[in-house]
Amino acid sequence: MAYFPFFVELEGKECLVVGGGDVAFRKIRELLPFGVNITVVSLEICESICNLAGEYPGQMKLLYREYKKADLEQKFFVIAATDDEQCNREISEYCRQEKILVNVVDDKEKCSFYFPSLVKQKDIVAGFSSGGNSPALIKELRRELQGQIPEYFGELNERLGQIRPQVKKAFSTEQQRKQYYNQVIHKSREESRALYVQEMEELIHKGFTQS
């Protein structure tokens, strides 16, 4: 069954990662740019995770011990990334019982959510999922599509967000606003760069050709 791609604000949310190896590292690395607070609990924690903790000191807590059920309390979501199948099963069962989102690495049946393969440019985020069937195929799809997104789109998106209040004030109908945004995007594509906010303002003042 296909999974619906909800986009959820994670900034300030609490996440528990049980396990401290390379797989846990890859999940943590994807999450940190979204502002999530991560607690890692494991007897051993790899150097890569420790380095991330140094880069994100306000977002990460490392606990060098075995996990306890109490660690799961008050967490928005949990990632089980251990080599212990019984431990992963217990985490999954508890989280499902307590309505906590859980991802058990490499065990589709124990997950209540999957990690998408991400393409991210600032606030532009695209996620791809195979419903847990073939992560390798989705990674290949991501590589192909990532190369088709202009590298300046993230910057363009931010500037369009800045100009948005002025656009709403200047144009009274949704159709006019749509035409304006299309013109900005078209001009940015022509010049292979993100128009500056000042240039966008000039287009508002000059008007544009109605289609």
Side-chain angles (χ1 to χ4, degrees), residues 182-193:
N182 286 340
Q183 185 180 21
V184 171
I185 295 169
H186 179 72
K187 190 170 180 60
S188 293
R189 281 188 172 277
E190 280 187 332
E191 301 188 14
S192 298
R193 65 176 180 86

Side-chain angles (χ1 to χ4, degrees), residues 1-153:
M1 177 186 294
Y3 276 52
F4 187 85
F6 278 111
F7 283 84
V8 180
E9 182 181 357
L10 291 181
E11 186 170 1
K13 297 292 193 300
E14 297 296 326
C15 167
L16 176 70
V17 177
V18 184
D22 290 339
V23 175
F25 162 71
R26 290 195 293 271
K27 304 297 185 185
I28 294 167
R29 180 181 57 188
E30 290 188 348
L31 287 167
L32 285 170
F34 293 90
V36 64
N37 297 324
I38 298 176
T39 299
V40 182
V41 57
S42 179
L43 288 172
E44 297 182 3
I45 299 176
C46 70
E47 183 179 356
S48 297
I49 293 177
C50 293
N51 291 338
L52 283 178
E55 295 176 27
Y56 296 85
Q59 289 180 235
M60 289 189 65
K61 182 192 301 182
L62 307 183
L63 303 177
Y64 290 85
R65 59 169 173 77
E66 293 183 349
Y67 114 95
K68 307 172 185 176
K69 278 191 177 180
D71 295 326
L72 302 168
E73 296 176 0
Q74 306 302 316
K75 296 298 185 292
F76 185 68
F77 67 104
V78 172
I79 299 168
T82 79
D83 294 328
D84 186 333
E85 185 176 343
Q86 178 62 29
C87 177
N88 289 343
R89 181 183 299 110
E90 289 178 358
I91 292 171
S92 175
E93 289 176 353
Y94 179 88
C95 287
R96 287 174 179 271
Q97 177 182 334
E98 298 300 320
K99 304 298 188 292
I100 301 170
L101 293 169
V102 62
N103 177 270
V104 179
V105 175
D106 292 332
D107 197 330
K108 175 182 175 180
E109 302 304 321
K110 294 184 178 65
C111 296
S112 61
F113 79 95
Y114 299 135
F115 264 79
S117 189
L118 295 176
V119 174
K120 185 177 187 299
Q121 275 194 32
K122 296 183 179 291
D123 288 348
I124 293 179
V125 180
F128 306 95
S129 172
S130 65
N133 293 314
S134 179
L137 178 62
I138 292 303
K139 287 180 181 178
E140 181 65 23
L141 175 63
R142 181 198 64 189
R143 281 193 290 267
E144 288 187 14
L145 296 183
Q146 190 167 23
Q148 298 180 34
I149 301 175
E151 61 182 11
Y152 57 85
F153 262 33

